Amino acid sequence: MATVLKTKGDPLWKRAEDPGYRVGWRSKAKFEKGHLDGEMSYGEAEAKARELAAKEPDKTFYPELIITEE
């Protein structure tokens, strides 16, 4: 049986009110990556990513679409 991937937000239209996003991060100097727990809208994730980037300049933060398998 094939794996089906589902998203809550639209990956092409990133509107501020679209649900189904979280904040992802990558380290600039090391090969580490991850994401913060919790679901939020694209606008909330973008604002949180900017806030975290100001506090931790050694990482890159970005809004990330949550993808689940079914």
Side-chain angles (χ1 to χ4, degrees), residues 2-24:
T3 302
V4 177
L5 300 176
K6 297 278 185 173
T7 61
K8 289 186 179 182
D10 187 355
L12 298 177
W13 295 97
K14 297 176 182 168
R15 294 178 214 109
E17 66 275 356
D18 284 348
Y21 285 86
R22 63 184 173 202
V23 177

Side-chain angles (χ1 to χ4, degrees), residues 2 6-7 9 13 18-19 21 25 29 32 34 37 39-41 47-48 57 66 70:
K6 297 278 185 173
T7 61
W13 295 97
D18 284 348
Y21 285 86
W25 62 270
E32 298 174 339
D37 292 332
E39 182 179 329
M40 54 189 85
S41 69
K48 183 77 171 174
I66 298 173
E70 288 190 5

Side-chain angles (χ1 to χ4, degrees), residues 34-47:
H35 61 269
L36 303 179
D37 292 332
E39 182 179 329
M40 54 189 85
S41 69
Y42 180 77
E44 292 170 336
E46 189 175 34

